[in-house]
Amino acid sequence: MTTEASQWLERIRALPIEGPVRIMNVCGGHERSITMAGLRRILPAGVELIPGPGCPVCVCPEEDIYEAIQLALREKVILTAFGDMLRVPVNVPKEEARSLEQARAAGGDVRPVGSPMEPVRIARDNPDRQVVFFAAGFETTTAPVAAMVAEGVPENLSVLLSGRLTWPAVAMLLASGAPGFDALVAPGHVSTVMGPEEWQFVVDDHRIPAAVAGFTPESLLAAFYSVLRQRIEDKPFLDNCYPEVVRPGGNPGAQRWLNETLEVVDANWRGIGIIPGSGYQLREKHAAVDARSRFPAYREEARRRAGQMPPGCDCAKVVLGKIYPTACKLYGAACTPRTPVGPCMVSDEGACRIWWSSGARLAE
Ligand code: SF4
């Protein structure tokens, strides 16, 4: 542990904490740093760190993945997607392709990509083929997709968008009356794009302490100290513990791309249901690059899959911070990274995958 991290830890330990205090994070990167650095073990008893809705792959609804699989298999498109998405299983009969990876094994041309530039290059290299970019992500990932659309894409490229906003999921939890957390560590990357002000409602509307954090143990410990102190002093405010990157107002250029090309709509979250104002869809003026407009045949078929989840999978509860990954009956038994049942065990940002990678094996 660095000197700075040790100093933050000492400050936390010196606080008169009357537990339990539940601090939720909403970022897979935060959860990874917390778990890999072992921060849960070193914090004072009574401080709980709860992984929340921070994994976009984990909340991508079954119908969107199903639609991508059908496009790969039945339209013979080149289906591009961020690598995490390829192994996410859908709940279809065993004889059907249950993931994009299985669609590829069945003859589909499915290619993992690392950025929106790659589908553009693939489309230019294959002018006689239709290329679909299945783009699932939160604001940070969706902004470059919006930029790609704004700048214009090759005619043979379309986008199957599954973009989500993070704050409405937190707002939904808070509005439920049983949010399951007492303080919030807000995501650094999302705040970089949208501005830290996006989380001000947590303080103003709910008097919940909040702090934006970066991804190092030092920044996370600083954020934990801030929210614990706010709570002890009963003076909640929105702190920015990642000021070197997160600026007031965020990134206006990225926000302009988002606003120009996309509109905010109600959206389905896997296993959770519709969250108002939590999704992005392409604006009407960009319908030509919308894969759902270009290949409308699967929309209804896919829509009928809404709400499907693998039997026994508790991903929705994990995503909402209602249970820890190890409380799922399938964790480490039927569900491992080699045989994932749910997306939380597939994605690098999924809490189940992160906990498994850290060696967590038994229900705690
Ligand atoms: Fe879903 Fe597997 Fe996690 Fe259980 S262990 S919640 S089945 S991903």
Side-chain angles (χ1 to χ4, degrees):
M1 180 175 289
T2 65
T3 304
E4 186 186 348
S6 298
Q7 288 170 346
W8 282 117
L9 185 59
E10 286 313 307
R11 286 182 195 133
I12 291 171
R13 286 177 173 162
L15 290 171
I17 298 168
E18 292 176 11
V21 184
R22 301 161 299 174
I23 305 173
M24 178 176 272
N25 73 75
V26 287
C27 170
H30 282 171
E31 182 54 31
R32 176 162 292 279
S33 293
I34 288 167
T35 303
M36 294 308 171
L39 298 188
R40 285 190 176 84
R41 283 195 300 275
I42 60 175
L43 288 175
V47 178
E48 281 186 59
L49 303 181
I50 303 194
C55 167
V57 169
C58 304
V59 304
C60 183
E62 167 116 351
E63 59 268 29
D64 289 1
I65 304 170
Y66 179 83
E67 197 166 6
I69 292 171
Q70 301 315 309
L71 289 175
L73 287 177
R74 289 152 73 176
E75 292 291 341
K76 303 296 182 193
V77 305
I78 300 175
L79 196 293
T80 62
F82 294 123
D84 275 14
M85 190 53 83
L86 266 57
R87 297 185 67 224
V88 176
V90 292
N91 186 29
V92 297
K94 280 201 167 64
E95 56 273 18
E96 294 182 33
R98 309 189 86 178
S99 66
L100 285 167
E101 192 175 59
Q102 289 187 8
R104 180 165 61 182
D109 192 346
V110 177
R111 306 186 191 183
V113 294
S115 80
M117 296 313 299
E118 289 182 60
V120 172
R121 179 185 54 73
I122 291 169
R124 290 200 176 116
D125 290 348
N126 296 272
D128 300 329
R129 303 274 311 275
Q130 284 290 322
V131 178
V132 173
F133 178 24
F134 179 27
F138 288 142
E139 297 94 326
T140 321
T141 312
T142 306
V145 178
M148 179 193 83
V149 171
E151 288 168 6
V153 299
E155 279 188 9
N156 59 328
L157 176 61
S158 56
V159 179
L160 183 64
L161 186 64
S162 192
R164 297 289 181 271
L165 295 93
T166 42
W167 72 263
V170 174
M172 182 201 72
L173 282 171
L174 288 168
S176 72
F181 62 95
D182 309 300
L184 182 78
V185 169
H189 280 154
V190 170
S191 301
T192 306
V193 173
M194 307 304 283
E197 301 84 357
E198 196 167 62
W199 302 97
Q200 190 66 45
F201 77 96
V202 174
V203 176
D204 292 350
D205 299 348
H206 304 278
R207 288 191 55 76
I208 298 261
V212 178
F215 298 89
T216 61
E218 292 82 0
S219 184
L220 285 159
L221 287 166
F224 299 154
Y225 173 78
S226 174
V227 295
L228 287 166
R229 187 168 168 182
Q230 291 177 46
R231 185 173 155 83
I232 289 164
E233 295 178 352
D234 194 25
K235 291 180 181 167
F237 68 99
L238 177 64
D239 201 357
N240 181 4
C241 299
Y242 198 25
E244 62 273 31
V245 174
V246 174
R247 303 280 155 73
N251 181 335
Q255 291 169 30
R256 195 162 50 247
W257 290 327
L258 288 166
N259 293 334
E260 280 179 12
T261 59
L262 311 177
E263 58 187 334
V264 173
V265 293
D266 299 346
N268 195 20
W269 291 49
R270 188 176 188 148
I272 295 169
I274 302 286
I275 300 181
S278 69
Y280 286 114
Q281 77 176 18
L282 286 156
R283 289 191 182 277
E284 186 63 32
K285 63 182 177 183
H286 295 294
V289 297
D290 190 339
R292 293 184 176 92
S293 300
R294 197 171 295 190
F295 305 100
Y298 308 100
R299 180 179 284 187
E300 184 55 27
E301 194 179 325
R303 197 187 59 76
R304 286 200 296 271
R305 301 211 59 78
Q308 289 279 339
M309 284 280 287
C313 174
D314 277 336
C315 274
K317 288 184 191 163
V318 171
V319 164
L320 292 177
K322 301 298 182 191
I323 63 169
Y324 286 127
T326 43
C328 172
K329 291 188 296 294
L330 304 185
Y331 182 89
C335 185
T336 69
R338 289 184 64 185
T339 57
V341 175
C344 298
M345 192 58 93
V346 175
S347 172
D348 283 342
E349 295 186 297
C352 298
R353 174 69 175 258
I354 293 168
W355 280 45
W356 181 268
S357 303
S358 77
R361 292 292 184 269
L362 299 171
E364 293 168 350

